[in-house]
Structure formats: structure tokens, C-alpha cells
Amino acid sequence: MKGLRFVAPLGVFLLLVIFLWRGLSLDPHEVPSPLINKPAPRFALARLDDANQMIRRDDMLGKVWLLNVWASWCVACREEHHTLVAFSKTKAVPIVGLNYKDTRADGLGWLGQFGNPYDVSAFDQDGRVGIDFGVYGVPETFVIDKAGMIRFKQIGPLTEEVIQTRIQPLLRQLNG
């Protein structure tokens, strides 16, 4: 009977070790989004470069496009920016920026200093559109299909590997 007293705690301990091991092996950039294969949230925001012009989700219907959420104060955005600029030069897909919880002057200054990979940037000063997209933090990137459905979400900086192994094959499939 004395041996059974140690079996239950040992079993609980082993179960906790298994859960911990599984949790540590997960990629934090692959947080499942409930929006995958759902319509992208509707939005209508002023453009970053011209407060008198609007950009809407519906303006992009009929095109496969990338939405990149960024901010001038974001260190990780600076990390991904060179990769995003290089990818934009391929003209593989329109890239829409969502300038998130920033100031217009800082956002424009940042693009002027580091280069502008965006076909257009929307100005989401209060972050409401970002929240509608389920943004955890910046940068985040979404691939949206011709019907306005979200097909991919990248949390954190884009890398050449993510573009080559995940985004480009998806773009070929969606445009094919």
C-alpha cells in the first residue's frame, strides 16, 4: 500500500512534464488565429500620406494582397523592414501597410528614412482596426485573398524563410 502512495504524485508529475515539454516545443509565431479562412474585417481609414483620402478593405476585393501592421516605435518592425522592402520590389502582391497606434508625422518620417514598401498605408491611430484583425502586437502580416478572406497570419517579423516557404507558395495558389 505504501508504494501506491507515490504512484499518483509520480503520475501527476510525469503528466506535467509532458505538457511542459509540448508547450516548449511550440513556435510562438504560430498562434492560431480564429480569423483564418474568415472575411477580413471591414475598415475605412484615412491614408497615412493623405488624410483626405481613404483606404477601405473593399478597395482590395478582386486582388490577393498583404496587410502588414507596423509602427515607427516598433523595434521588431525595423528588424523586418529590409526584408519587406526587398519583397515589395518583386511586385508579387500589393502590400498595404496598417500604421498602428502611431502619429502621422512619425510614421511618414520612418518611411522616409527606411524606405516605403507599401502600395498604400492606412493610418490606424487609435488601433481599432488592428484590434478587429486580432493584432497581438506589431509587426503582424496577413495574406488576404481576392474574396477578402484571411488565408495566413504571421505574428512577428517577416523573414526571407517565411516569405519563401509560406507566403510565396500561398500567393501562387491563390493567384493560380
Side-chain angles (χ1 to χ4, degrees), residues 27-84:
D27 183 350
H29 294 293
E30 293 192 20
V31 176
S33 172
L35 295 179
I36 299 296
N37 297 323
K38 302 268 188 321
R42 289 182 182 269
F43 65 87
L45 290 170
R47 290 174 51 142
L48 179 64
D49 62 343
D50 185 349
N52 294 318
Q53 291 188 32
M54 301 294 284
I55 177 75
R56 294 170 181 77
R57 189 235 25 205
D58 292 352
D59 295 340
M60 301 305 292
L61 290 176
K63 303 173 193 169
V64 176
W65 55 290
L66 213 76
L67 177 71
N68 178 255
V69 184
W70 66 281
S72 65
W73 46 262
C74 167
V75 175
C77 296
R78 188 172 295 193
E79 180 184 320
E80 86 168 352
H81 199 71
H82 175 74
T83 302
L84 195 58

Side-chain angles (χ1 to χ4, degrees), residues 150-164:
I150 296 173
R151 298 301 181 186
F152 174 80
K153 178 180 181 179
Q154 167 73 19
I155 297 172
L158 285 177
T159 62
E160 297 223 6
E161 179 184 353
V162 169
I163 290 171
Q164 291 175 1

Side-chain angles (χ1 to χ4, degrees), residues 15-166:
L15 189 61
L16 288 173
V17 167
I18 290 169
F19 281 126
L20 178 62
W21 175 77
R22 173 71 176 123
L24 290 174
S25 68
L26 297 175
D27 183 350
H29 294 293
E30 293 192 20
V31 176
S33 172
L35 295 179
I36 299 296
N37 297 323
K38 302 268 188 321
R42 289 182 182 269
F43 65 87
L45 290 170
R47 290 174 51 142
L48 179 64
D49 62 343
D50 185 349
N52 294 318
Q53 291 188 32
M54 301 294 284
I55 177 75
R56 294 170 181 77
R57 189 235 25 205
D58 292 352
D59 295 340
M60 301 305 292
L61 290 176
K63 303 173 193 169
V64 176
W65 55 290
L66 213 76
L67 177 71
N68 178 255
V69 184
W70 66 281
S72 65
W73 46 262
C74 167
V75 175
C77 296
R78 188 172 295 193
E79 180 184 320
E80 86 168 352
H81 199 71
H82 175 74
T83 302
L84 195 58
V85 168
F87 181 61
S88 74
K89 290 178 182 174
T90 68
K91 301 288 185 196
V93 63
I95 302 175
V96 175
L98 182 67
N99 184 235
Y100 181 73
K101 293 187 177 180
D102 210 345
T103 68
R104 189 176 302 277
D106 288 347
L108 289 170
W110 197 81
L111 291 176
Q113 181 178 358
F114 298 111
N116 187 350
Y118 306 109
D119 292 86
V120 64
S121 268
F123 184 53
D124 188 17
Q125 185 174 13
D126 60 10
R128 290 180 195 265
V129 172
I131 290 168
D132 290 345
F133 272 87
V135 170
Y136 292 91
V138 290
E140 289 191 14
T141 303
F142 300 83
V143 174
I144 301 169
D145 72 12
K146 294 175 183 181
M149 305 289 274
I150 296 173
R151 298 301 181 186
F152 174 80
K153 178 180 181 179
Q154 167 73 19
I155 297 172
L158 285 177
T159 62
E160 297 223 6
E161 179 184 353
V162 169
I163 290 171
Q164 291 175 1
T165 62
R166 306 284 306 275

